[in-house]
Each structure stands twice: as structure tokens, then as C-alpha cells.
Amino acid sequence: MEQQTTTTPTSLRTSLQLGIYKVIDPFVKVMIKIGLTPNAVTSIGFVLNVGVAAIFILGAEVGARGDLSYIGWAGGLILFAGLFDMLDGQVARLGNMKSTFGALYDSVLDRYSELIMFLGICYYLVAHHYFMSSIAAFVALIGSMMVSYVRARAEGLGVEVKGGLMQRPERVVTIGLCAALCGIVAQYLGGNYKLFVPGIKFHIFETISIFTIPIVLLAVLTNITAFNRLREAKKALMKLEEESEV
């Protein structure tokens, strides 16, 4: 039963990736023809994520507390920037431009991109006094970094640990979609909408919750994913040690 649960999400994830590749491959071939390298595509994705942080910071500095349009625009740019995470790999594969340094460069800029994106999110939330949500965003950042770090460190020790609920593509899609949805819904409900339940003194939902609740989930699930990878790495390393003693 456990094996079935582990296999299904992976195969579903792979199927989704293959479907996306079919859609973006014509665009990838155009990029190859005009001379874009995988590293150039990775760099474009990084610059776009700097733009994401800039939108959040701008929203913090000049936007009113109930103006969630900045979150919506940032969400759209997160999704667009996330597309380049897939494009660089496909450019490398279809253009026969794979390199060891390219893989390293991609990983490093992915980490920088995520750090900068969360910087913008935390800045926005703190500036508009969503203090608890800003803490959740910071914890989500910690979990996101540790998911990647545990895998990289384990590979350095000779074992491979993958999988989990919140790998980078899932994180990007979750934050991007929910941010964009928050901005769209705010146009109809209003940025200051609050839902109260009779008998409860405080509101149980507000428009920005469309953005902040998924961040709380990310904070939990990314760290669970990191610890699960650590546990898998422990088992794999112990197995290697037992085999070396035989």
C-alpha cells in the first residue's frame, strides 16, 4: 500500500511534465535557433524573479494595505519565471548543450531566485503588518532551502533522495497560482473583505488569506519533505555502511 502511494504522485508528476514539454518544445526550438544557451535561459528566469521581488517591494512601499493587485501581478510573473525553469533544461536536452557547469549554474540560480522571491513576499507582509504570515513565509523559505540542501548533501555522500510533496515546481506553482488568484478575487470581493462567523469576535477569513494560507501549508509541507528526505538518506547511508562491512 505504501509503495502504491509513493509511485502514483511521481508518475502523475512525470506525466504532467511530459505534457508540458510537448507544449513548450516548439518554443524551445525557436530559442535554440536564435542562439539562446541553457545558461542564458536560466539567467532570464533569475532576472524575472528579481522582478517578482521588486513588485512585492513596490506594493509594500506605495500600495495600500487592501490593494492586492501587486500580489496578483507578482503571482503571474512567478508562474512566467517558473516556466524558464523547464525551458533551460529542455534547451540543454534538445540543443545537445548539456554541461556539468550548466547543471550547477541552474541549481545555484534556482536557490537565489527562490530566496529573492521570498524576500519580496516577507517584505510585503511585514510592511502591511501581516506579522504571523511573514513568519510562515520565512519558515517556508527555510523548508524550501532544506529540501534542496538535503538532496544535494546526500548526493555528495553517494546516495540519492528525491520526491516529496513540495519540490521546487510544486512550490512555484502553488505560490504563483495562489498569488494570482488572490489578486483576481480582490477585484470582485475587495482587498479588505473579511468573513465573520456569529459568536467569534475575530474574522476567520480575509481576501489575502487566498495567498497566505497556502504559504502556511508550504511552511509545513516543505519541512516535512526535508525531514522525509533526511530519513531516506539515513536509511540509504546505513545500507551502504552495512554493505561495505560485508
Side-chain angles (χ1 to χ4, degrees), residues 15-216:
S15 299
L16 287 172
Q17 281 183 333
L18 291 174
I20 294 171
Y21 287 150
K22 288 180 181 178
V23 174
I24 67 174
D25 278 355
F27 184 50
V28 169
K29 290 173 183 176
V30 172
M31 297 176 81
I32 294 170
K33 284 183 180 179
I34 64 176
L36 280 176
T37 64
N39 289 349
V41 176
T42 301
S43 299
I44 292 170
F46 169 73
V47 172
L48 290 173
N49 275 290
V50 172
V52 168
I55 292 173
F56 277 118
I57 292 171
L58 186 65
E61 292 297 321
V62 303
R65 193 175 194 266
D67 183 4
L68 305 184
S69 61
Y70 292 93
I71 294 179
W73 285 111
L77 191 54
I78 288 169
L79 294 173
F80 185 60
L83 181 62
F84 282 80
D85 283 345
M86 301 191 74
L87 287 173
D88 57 7
Q90 280 300 89
V91 169
R93 281 185 284 271
L94 296 181
N96 196 24
M97 290 184 277
K98 290 183 181 179
S99 69
T100 305
F101 174 74
L104 174 62
Y105 186 73
D106 180 46
S107 295
V108 170
L109 255 65
D110 278 354
R111 304 291 81 73
Y112 270 117
S113 293
E114 202 155 12
L115 284 164
I116 288 170
M117 179 190 71
F118 273 110
L119 167 66
I121 292 172
C122 288
Y123 192 103
Y124 182 93
L125 293 172
V126 169
H128 288 304
H129 309 292
Y130 295 104
F131 182 67
M132 295 305 296
S133 295
S134 69
I135 292 176
F138 188 72
V139 174
L141 168 60
I142 293 171
S144 299
M145 292 301 103
M146 292 310 298
V147 167
S148 301
Y149 179 78
V150 173
R151 176 179 176 179
R153 190 71 183 96
E155 287 177 349
L157 295 171
V159 298
E160 190 175 82
V161 287
K162 292 183 179 181
L165 290 173
M166 280 297 161
Q167 300 178 64
R168 178 162 165 76
E170 287 88 339
R171 297 194 298 268
V172 169
V173 170
T174 299
I175 293 178
L177 275 179
C178 293
L181 185 62
C182 179
I184 294 169
V185 172
Q187 299 300 313
Y188 298 95
L189 285 182
N192 292 313
Y193 171 81
K194 292 179 176 62
L195 177 64
F196 290 89
V197 172
I200 300 177
K201 294 181 180 180
F202 54 87
H203 61 274
I204 62 169
F205 177 87
E206 57 184 316
T207 311
I208 200 172
S209 300
I210 298 170
F211 178 55
T212 56
I213 288 175
I215 288 177
V216 173

